[in-house]
Amino acid sequence: MVSVFTYIILMERKKAVMNIKQLYVSDWLVKYSTKDFEEMFTYDADDLGMRLEGENIVLKCWSPFAAQMELNIYLSGEENSINVERIQMVRREKGIWQIALEASGYLNKYYDFTIVFENIPKNGSKAEVTACDPYARAVGVNGKKAMFIDLTETNPEGWDTDRNPNQSMAWNDMVIYELHIRDLSADLKSGIKNRGKFLGLIENGTYITDGMEKFKTGLDHIKDLGITHLHLLPFYDYGSIDESQSYDENKYNWGYDPVNYNVPEGSYSTNPYDGDVRIRELKQTICQLHQNGISVVMDVVYNHTYNEEFCFNKMVPGYFYRIGADGVLSNGSECGNDTASERSMVRKYIVDSVLYWAKEYHIDGFRFDLLGLLDTETMQEIRKGLDNIRPNILIYGEGWKLQTVLTKKNMVLATQEHVSEMDRVAMFSDNLRDAIKGSVFEETEKGYISGNQDCVEAIKISLMGLPEWADYPEQVINYTSCHDNYTLFDKIALCNKEIDMEERIRQNKLAIAIVMLSQGIPLLHAGEELLRTKMNQQGEFVSDSVRDGDDVNSIKWETLLQPEYQNVYRYYKGLTAFRKNTRVLHMTDPAEIRKAYLFAETGNELVICFKAVRNDEIMIVVFNADEKTVEINLNALFVKEEKLNGIFEGKKYQCYINEQAADCKPVSATIYDENDCTVEVQAQSCMVLKNIQF
Ligand code: CA
C-alpha cells in the first residue's frame, strides 16, 4: 500500500523526470523562429561552455526560458555517480546562465545542469530537467556528464607543429577514402593490436602473409594505395554503442546518432571512463596520420540527433528541431527529427562545433550527412569561419532533396540544386554513381558497366565533372559506392545473377576506372579495392549494414592472399597513381573542359571513346561495356570527327590502362602511331592512351 505522503513524493519526482515532449508547448514553439525572440535572445559571443580564464573556470550555457539553473558536481562521469555539490548559476543577458569556479578545485571533475522551468503554459506550473552541457569538451562514459578539462594537457608530442600534409592541394587532386574506424582493424588477421580503436588507425608495419609474400594491412595498406584524405565515419560521441561494454560485447554501429557533438566517441578510446583519454588518443591519431601524409575528413551529422533527449533540446525544449505548433516533428532525416539550422542559436551551435573541431583537432575536411536538410546560410557561415582558421578546408556533403518543414520563410536548403548559392561546398554525385552501376534504390537495375545503354549520356557528362546541378567539377564528389547501400561488388552480383567471378571483377574494374578518370573529386569506399562484400550468415548480401557487426562489416584482409584480389588492389592503386600524374584529369574551368573533350561516334552504344587535351598532354580513353572485345581504329575514328585533325600527326601514344593493369607508367611496350593505331579493347574493360611527351 502506498501512503499518501509517498504518493505525493512520487508525483513530485514524476514531474521532475518529465518527458521532454511534454515541455514542447505551442506558446514556446511559435516564438522560437520569430524576429522578436531572436533579437532578444541571440547570443553572439564565442564563449559558451567552459573555458579557463586565469585561475578560474568560467561556464556559460543558454536557456532563455529557465527560471533557475543549478550546476551539479560529481567526482566521476558515470550516469549514477553521486552528486557532491550543487551550485546556483546566475542569469545574465540573452538567456545566458553563468558561473565562475576556482579551477584548482574543479578541473577533472564532472558536471551537469538542473534546469527548472516555472509557469509552463498548459502543462502545469513547474518542471525540472537534468542535462549535460551541449558545449561539453570532455565527457565520462556514455557521455552522460561533462568534465572540466584543460585541453592543452591533452596535446600529444608534436601537436604544436602538426599540419595538414596536403594543405595547399587542389580539391580535384585529392583522393578520398571513406572508412569506418572499426572496419580497418576488426578482423584479427589485420595484425592490428588496437582493434576498433582510434589508435588502430596508426599502427605501422602490419601485414598478412601466405608464408612467401607479405601484404600490407591497415595504415600501410591505405598509404600504399595512394589516397590523400581519410574520411572517417562519425567519431563524435554517439549514442548507439554502450561504451561500458568490452570490445567484443559492443554492438556495431556506424554512429549517425549524435549525443555530444564536441567530444570524441568513447568506444574508440582505450578508456571511455576518463574524459581525457579519448581526446588525447584522437589527437595522437590525427597527428600520426598527418605525419604519414594523410589528411583527415570528419563525417558530421548536424541534421538530426540521436533522440529528443539531446541536451540542447532539454535546455530549451523544442528549440533544436523543426516542430509544428501541434508538436509534430519534421522527419526528413528519417531518424526521428530534423535540426532547425535556420534558428540563430542552432546555427551558431553548428558553426561553433565545426570550427571547434577544425581548431582543436586540426581536422582538414568535413563531410556533412544529409546536407540537404541544413540551410545555405549556415553553410556559408561555416565556410567563412573555416577560411578564417586555415585556407582550403574541404567541405562536401549529401545534397539530397528531402521533405523537411523549415520554421522560417525565405530559407534555402543546401541541396544539389542550390550548390551555386554556396562558396566551395562539394556534393556527392548520385548521377555518376547510379549511371555506373544502376540505381541504389533498385536492387536489380543495371548500370553502364552491366550493359545498360540508357546510362551512357549521364556517364559522358560526369566524365567532364559537370552533372546538371554542378557549375564546376570541384563541386562534384565522384564515387560508385560508400557505406550506404550494397557494396559495388555485391550490387554487380545482384543485378547480374548469371555472371561468374571473373566477369564481376571486370565490371568492378571498369566502374572504378570511370570514377578515377572523371573530372571532380574521387571517393573510394574502404575495401572496395579488395572487392569488399557484406554477406550475412544466411549468405545474403546486406544493404545497410549499420548494425550488422564486424563479421559483415570488417575489411577481410585474408582476401589479399588471392591473386585476383591482388590484381584488383593493384588496379585501384595504379588508377590512383595514373590520376595523380595526368594533368588533363584535374581541370577546373567548365568552358576549358568542354573545349578539351571530344567524344567520338563509335557505332556501338556501349563503347564510349573520347580524347581530352590539356596543353601538350593528350589522353585517349575507350570504355567498352559490351560483352565482346571491340577493335577500334583510332585514327579513322577521330578523323571522321572532322573537328579533330590528325591526333596522330607525328605523335606517338602509349597505353597506361587496359583490362589487366593501370599505372602512372606505360603498362605495355606497344607504341601507337599513324601506322599502328588500332586498339583492341577487351569486353567490359577500358583502355587509356597518352601521348609520349618529349
Ligand atoms: Ca558514445
Side-chain angles (χ1 to χ4, degrees):
M1 198 142 150
V2 180
S3 72
V4 174
F5 181 66
T6 316
Y7 179 75
I8 290 167
I9 289 182
L10 283 174
M11 283 307 287
E12 281 299 312
R13 200 168 293 163
K14 201 174 166 202
K15 209 186 276 177
V17 292
M18 203 165 193
N19 182 321
I20 193 69
K21 278 185 191 177
Q22 293 173 267
L23 286 176
Y24 295 169
V25 291
S26 55
D27 298 52
W28 292 356
L29 295 177
V30 294
K31 281 184 186 149
Y32 288 147
S33 286
T34 62
K35 233 180 170 169
D36 285 352
F37 183 87
E38 296 216 326
E39 269 168 22
M40 204 177 295
F41 292 117
T42 299
Y43 179 73
D44 293 324
D46 184 24
D47 60 0
L48 287 173
M50 73 145 285
R51 81 206 133 88
L52 288 168
E53 247 181 43
E55 303 291 297
N56 288 327
I57 292 168
V58 178
L59 181 62
K60 285 185 184 177
C61 63
W62 185 73
S63 183
F65 286 159
Q68 282 179 65
M69 173 98 61
E70 278 176 329
L71 173 69
N72 306 306
I73 304 292
Y74 310 87
L75 301 181
S76 68
E78 288 88 344
E79 185 165 23
N80 55 2
S81 58
I82 296 160
N83 180 197
V84 293
E85 196 180 353
R86 289 189 104 171
I87 308 165
Q88 284 286 339
M89 293 184 69
V90 182
R91 190 180 181 114
R92 307 299 291 264
E93 75 292 346
K94 305 271 184 192
I96 295 294
W97 296 81
Q98 183 177 337
I99 187 89
L101 306 162
E102 214 172 285
S104 59
Y106 291 91
L107 272 179
N108 303 318
K109 285 185 180 163
Y110 292 79
Y111 69 95
D112 62 18
F113 303 116
T114 299
I115 307 111
V116 180
F117 297 102
E118 285 173 358
N119 304 319
I120 304 161
K122 291 183 193 166
N123 287 323
S125 63
K126 190 175 171 180
E128 260 184 39
V129 174
T130 301
C132 190
D133 181 357
Y135 278 78
R137 301 312 188 195
V139 295
V141 66
N142 285 325
K144 300 294 181 191
K145 293 179 171 61
M147 188 182 98
F148 292 116
I149 189 167
D150 179 354
L151 284 164
T152 58
E153 299 281 322
T154 62
N155 294 345
E157 207 179 311
W159 193 242
D160 291 345
T161 52
D162 175 64
R163 295 284 176 276
N164 177 1
N166 305 302
Q167 177 78 62
S168 51
M169 182 177 275
W171 286 19
N172 60 7
D173 290 350
M174 299 170 179
V175 180
I176 303 170
Y177 189 78
E178 189 219 38
L179 174 73
H180 183 285
I181 289 169
R182 199 163 158 133
D183 292 351
L184 191 74
S185 54
D187 180 5
L188 286 167
K189 302 243 168 53
S190 70
I192 295 167
K193 292 188 195 77
N194 286 291
R195 283 176 69 211
K197 306 293 180 195
F198 290 126
L199 297 178
L201 296 174
I202 52 169
E203 288 183 30
N204 284 111
T206 60
Y207 62 88
I208 185 163
T209 180
D210 55 6
M212 310 277 284
E213 207 178 334
K214 286 180 181 174
F215 300 94
K216 293 168 182 168
T217 61
L219 173 63
D220 286 357
H221 166 89
I222 297 175
K223 262 175 79 176
D224 188 61
L225 181 57
I227 61 115
T228 63
H229 283 63
L230 184 61
H231 154 167
L232 295 170
L233 260 61
F235 57 82
Y236 52 70
D237 179 34
Y238 58 81
S240 52
I241 296 278
D242 182 353
E243 297 174 3
S244 70
Q245 295 192 317
S246 69
Y247 179 85
D248 289 318
E249 293 170 311
N250 249 339
K251 292 193 174 60
Y252 181 96
N253 203 286
W254 285 339
Y256 291 92
D257 40 68
V259 172
N260 289 292
Y261 277 103
N262 302 303
V263 184
E265 161 62 17
S267 67
Y268 296 138
S269 76
T270 58
N271 178 2
Y273 289 88
D274 183 344
D276 280 4
V277 176
R278 57 180 82 184
I279 299 174
R280 188 173 296 119
E281 289 177 350
L282 175 57
K283 285 180 172 174
Q284 193 186 335
T285 301
I286 291 166
C287 194
Q288 283 291 315
L289 287 169
H290 283 169
Q291 283 172 21
N292 281 280
I294 295 170
S295 310
V296 178
V297 176
M298 180 177 188
D299 194 338
V300 287
V301 187
Y302 294 105
N303 68 83
H304 70 268
T305 65
Y306 183 37
N307 55 34
E308 291 159 73
E309 298 297 307
F310 175 47
C311 50
F312 192 132
N313 192 52
K314 282 175 152 182
M315 297 183 86
V316 197
Y319 182 80
F320 204 78
Y321 307 118
R322 294 176 181 145
I323 309 178
D326 51 1
V328 175
L329 280 101
S330 173
N331 188 20
S333 69
E334 292 185 22
C335 295
N337 54 68
D338 296 344
T339 299
S341 63
E342 65 275 17
R343 288 187 175 137
S344 62
M345 291 301 283
V346 177
R347 176 176 295 153
K348 174 180 168 54
Y349 182 71
I350 297 171
V351 175
D352 285 350
S353 175
V354 175
L355 303 192
Y356 173 70
W357 284 101
K359 264 190 252 177
E360 186 63 36
Y361 289 89
H362 303 180
I363 300 292
D364 310 306
F366 295 89
R367 176 267 187 197
F368 285 80
D369 186 63
L370 302 186
L371 172 58
L373 287 176
L374 304 180
D375 68 285
T376 52
E377 262 181 58
T378 301
M379 294 314 295
Q380 284 290 79
E381 267 194 43
I382 290 171
R383 178 73 275 166
K384 234 187 320 176
L386 289 176
D387 287 345
N388 286 334
I389 295 171
R390 276 187 302 282
N392 209 27
I393 294 178
L394 183 61
I395 298 180
Y396 57 97
E398 297 179 304
W400 320 136
K401 197 172 178 176
L402 303 158
Q403 285 301 319
T404 189
V405 186
L406 282 158
T407 67
K408 283 186 189 173
K409 286 193 179 122
N410 305 320
M411 285 287 136
V412 179
L413 291 168
T415 55
Q416 283 175 346
E417 63 177 316
H418 299 124
V419 71
S420 314
E421 290 168 54
M422 292 174 284
D423 182 23
R424 285 169 298 138
V425 171
M427 292 185 182
F428 286 94
S429 171
D430 49 342
N431 311 66
L432 182 62
R433 180 195 69 195
D434 290 355
I436 287 178
K437 63 173 188 183
S439 167
V440 295
F441 304 112
E442 302 291 337
E443 197 172 293
T444 56
E445 187 188 294
K446 295 181 182 187
Y448 170 71
I449 56 167
S450 306
N452 184 349
Q453 297 181 5
D454 298 341
C455 300
V456 170
E457 280 315 304
I459 297 271
K460 285 182 179 173
I461 289 165
S462 294
L463 283 165
M464 296 192 287
L466 297 169
E468 58 188 20
W469 49 267
D471 303 319
Y472 56 91
E474 282 176 319
Q475 284 173 328
V476 183
I477 301 280
N478 291 315
Y479 71 121
T480 65
S481 71
C482 66
H483 67 278
D484 277 319
N485 311 118
Y486 293 110
T487 68
L488 172 59
F489 202 53
D490 293 347
K491 167 74 177 169
I492 293 170
L494 279 164
C495 61
N496 300 277
K497 295 221 165 61
E498 68 291 354
I499 67 173
D500 62 10
M501 180 76 172
E502 202 191 316
E503 191 172 346
R504 282 172 71 189
I505 290 176
R506 283 205 302 271
Q507 291 193 24
N508 193 113
K509 285 165 86 172
L510 178 57
I512 190 58
I514 296 169
V515 169
M516 296 304 277
L517 294 170
S518 290
Q519 302 288 344
I521 310 165
L523 177 141
L524 307 173
H525 178 215
E528 205 192 277
E529 74 282 11
L530 300 175
L531 302 173
R532 186 170 181 177
T533 183
K534 292 181 185 170
M535 192 179 272
N536 63 19
Q537 286 186 330
Q538 290 76 48
E540 301 152 337
F541 297 123
V542 180
S543 171
D544 286 310
S545 59
V546 52
R547 291 177 202 87
D548 281 277
D550 292 334
D551 286 351
V552 169
N553 282 292
S554 64
I555 293 179
K556 312 289 187 295
W557 294 105
E558 207 168 22
T559 55
L560 255 179
L561 301 179
Q562 299 173 47
E564 66 262 47
Y565 285 78
Q566 290 161 21
N567 174 276
V568 171
Y569 173 67
R570 281 194 297 267
Y571 202 71
Y572 273 75
K573 180 180 167 179
L575 282 168
T576 307
F578 176 81
R579 182 178 170 84
K580 284 182 177 171
N581 281 279
T582 303
R583 293 317 302 162
V584 74
L585 290 170
H586 303 265
M587 292 199 271
T588 52
D589 175 14
E592 188 198 351
I593 292 169
R594 288 199 181 92
K595 231 167 94 185
Y597 274 67
L598 179 70
F599 288 89
E601 188 53 62
T602 63
N604 180 337
E605 279 288 338
L606 287 173
V607 180
I608 298 173
C609 178
F610 70 95
K611 67 142 205 161
V613 183
R614 192 180 194 189
N615 301 327
D616 296 334
E617 193 179 58
I618 309 171
M619 177 181 75
I620 300 173
V621 178
V622 185
F623 293 119
N624 175 20
D626 207 340
E627 286 173 333
K628 56 178 197 291
T629 302
V630 293
E631 217 180 68
I632 295 177
N633 180 320
L634 290 170
N635 205 23
L637 189 72
F638 280 103
V639 166
K640 205 172 67 186
E641 296 286 328
E642 290 172 25
K643 286 166 269 179
L644 180 83
N645 293 319
I647 51 168
F648 283 98
E649 272 176 1
K651 294 191 183 69
K652 293 177 191 301
Y653 291 77
Q654 279 181 295
C655 175
Y656 288 75
I657 302 169
N658 60 23
E659 77 286 354
Q660 263 307 313
D663 206 338
C664 55
K665 303 187 298 278
V667 294
S668 83
T670 313
I671 305 278
Y672 298 89
D673 60 19
E674 272 160 293
N675 305 316
D676 187 5
C677 55
T678 300
V679 292
E680 208 176 69
V681 187
Q682 302 293 311
Q684 297 159 326
S685 79
C686 90
M687 180 168 264
V688 178
L689 309 183
K690 266 203 301 189
N691 61 322
I692 300 172
Q693 294 178 62
F694 299 99

